[in-house]
Amino acid sequence: MTTHRDYGTGPPDEYVEAEIHRMLTEDPAVAEQGITVVRRERALVLSGEVESAHRREEILRRVAERFPDVPITTDIGVIRAQAPTEIEQLP
Amino acid sequence: MAIRIAAVGDVHMDEDVVGRFRPALEQLPGSADVLLLAGDLTRHGTEDEARCVAREFGGLGVPVIAVLGNHDHQCDQVPQVVGALEEAGIIVLEGNGVVLDCVGGRLGVAGVKGFGGGFAGRCASDFGEPEMKAFVHTTTESADRLGEALQSLECDMLVALTHYSPVPDTLAGEPLEIYPFLGCYQLGQAIDSAPTALALHGHAHHGSERGTTPAGIRVRNVAHPVIKQAYSVYHLGDHLDQAQVSGVGAGGIQQPWS
């Protein structure tokens, strides 16, 4: 993975966004392709859904570890796994 | 009688997820004839993770048929992954098919992981650097194997199972820029080359559930983050009332079929 060398203290730039996005997939501790990274005015917002609360915590831990100076907001849910209550009929 | 198909993809199993699906899966024998798994069964494609899949999805009382996804290739342990799944009785398809005798008729399922490449008019071409040619060859070879498998099955109802998407419809919600990494039109072409009744895929977590191929065959994205339940259930049958197309069974899946 390309390393971004200067995180600075201002708002996160596009390269940091790109690096975090790749890290979410390429870091073996995360390996998520379904997390969206959106650059807002004051922070990067990570959103999406994962299979367990443990994985959500791991994403937050790894991103904070790698990018301690980047303000991050997260909105990551755990996907429900209940039995369906409806079927679809396909003639 | 209808043929009842349960399906889910992208369950990304590891130790931390084992047990989450099981309560819903225990209901399958009463509500479905088969469970289809549309790839990305594991996080990194390790044998240990495949054993988690085997624990969760094995011994269900209904046949389980799977294709692998890109995550299942990450650690280059595909033979071990397939071995662990097959030990648990899970049928793994890659360019081949299987026919099951169900109460509602013979169900044929042809499966392949598939690959990216993009969709008609906006796709990669077999041209230029060797890397690009290799990419497109992977796409076309995969689609060709699916087409051959679909055409080879003798059955009453034919279903195509892939990880990558055969149509752009079910990618709605994903950024347009990544469509070429989410599927390819050649898979749709393969599905349209046979009398396929339904095509199921995963991979696109932010996509949408419903679409059709250019020939009008129904496509469903069953990626877990899309369906937001343990699995979806589809009833296939020629005799079903047209007014019920894509309708919802009143009373849910517990209601006996009539």
Side-chain angles (χ1 to χ4, degrees):
Chain A
M1 185 188 293
T2 308
T3 304
H4 186 75
R5 296 179 194 286
D6 177 20
Y7 303 130
T9 52
D13 71 18
E14 201 166 317
Y15 294 122
V16 175
E17 176 190 348
E19 195 177 338
I20 291 178
H21 193 257
R22 284 187 60 190
M23 190 204 101
L24 292 171
T25 299
E26 296 171 9
D27 183 339
V30 181
E32 296 285 349
Q33 290 192 292
I35 302 297
T36 304
V37 182
V38 178
R39 196 153 33 99
R40 300 285 191 209
E41 195 176 334
R42 294 184 184 170
L44 280 182
V45 181
L46 307 184
S47 59
E49 289 181 295
V50 295
E51 291 290 345
S52 72
H54 167 75
R55 293 186 192 183
R56 174 173 55 199
E57 287 154 20
E58 196 63 5
I59 288 171
L60 303 185
R61 188 181 71 78
R62 294 293 288 166
V63 172
E65 204 173 86
R66 284 279 305 276
F67 304 91
D69 300 325
V70 176
I72 304 279
T73 303
T74 59
D75 183 17
I76 297 173
V78 177
I79 313 166
R80 298 183 292 275
Q82 80 287 0
T85 54
E86 297 171 345
I87 57 149
E88 184 177 7
Q89 296 177 340
L90 301 170
Chain B
M1 286 293 288
I3 294 177
R4 307 166 304 169
I5 296 168
V8 63
D10 305 79
V11 293
H12 296 285
M13 295 297 297
D14 202 345
E15 286 288 349
D16 60 330
V17 177
V18 172
R20 281 199 77 217
F21 289 82
R22 198 71 193 188
L25 294 170
E26 302 284 358
Q27 298 182 25
L28 276 176
S31 57
D33 299 307
V34 63
L35 172 66
L36 305 185
L37 300 176
D40 276 5
L41 313 178
T42 65
R43 290 179 89 188
H44 309 91
T46 65
E47 187 175 351
D48 286 346
E49 290 170 359
R51 295 205 180 282
C52 295
V53 179
R55 275 158 60 197
E56 193 77 352
F57 293 92
L60 289 178
V62 298
V64 181
I65 302 172
V67 294
L68 300 187
N70 55 312
H71 277 246
D72 306 317
H73 281 253
Q74 168 64 11
C75 284
D76 293 325
Q77 295 180 23
V78 169
Q80 296 93 318
V81 167
V82 171
L85 298 177
E86 288 180 342
E87 265 179 43
I90 297 171
I91 299 166
V92 182
L93 300 178
E94 177 53 37
N96 54 337
V98 63
V99 176
L100 301 176
D101 278 315
C102 304
V103 176
R106 290 171 304 160
L107 170 66
V109 182
V112 75
K113 174 177 65 66
F115 201 52
F119 297 92
R122 296 158 182 81
C123 63
S125 296
D126 185 7
F127 186 86
E129 304 91 325
E131 291 85 354
M132 184 54 82
K133 289 174 182 163
F135 182 89
V136 176
H137 285 185
T138 305
T139 305
T140 52
E141 281 168 20
S142 184
D144 288 348
R145 289 202 305 274
L146 177 65
E148 286 162 17
L150 284 165
Q151 291 157 27
S152 73
L153 296 179
E154 302 242 339
C155 57
D156 302 313
M157 201 63 77
L158 187 57
V159 171
L161 178 64
T162 61
H163 179 60
Y164 285 79
S165 177
V167 294
D169 309 25
T170 47
L171 305 182
E174 295 280 4
L176 279 172
E177 295 88 338
I178 68 167
Y179 276 30
F181 305 112
L182 297 176
C184 63
Y185 78 90
Q186 291 95 332
L187 288 172
Q189 206 168 20
I191 289 162
D192 281 344
S193 75
T196 314
L198 174 66
L200 300 169
H201 74 88
H203 194 42
H205 290 202
H206 294 292
S208 49
E209 195 178 352
R210 295 160 195 242
T212 57
T213 65
I217 293 166
R218 279 151 320 196
V219 178
R220 295 293 180 267
N221 177 357
V222 294
H224 187 212
V226 171
I227 64 173
K228 299 185 191 300
Q229 54 190 3
Y231 48 84
S232 287
V233 178
Y234 304 98
H235 284 191
L236 292 177
D238 288 332
H239 66 288
L240 298 179
D241 182 357
Q242 283 294 332
Q244 291 289 318
V245 173
S246 297
V248 165
I253 62 167
Q254 300 302 328
Q255 183 175 7
W257 180 252
S258 59

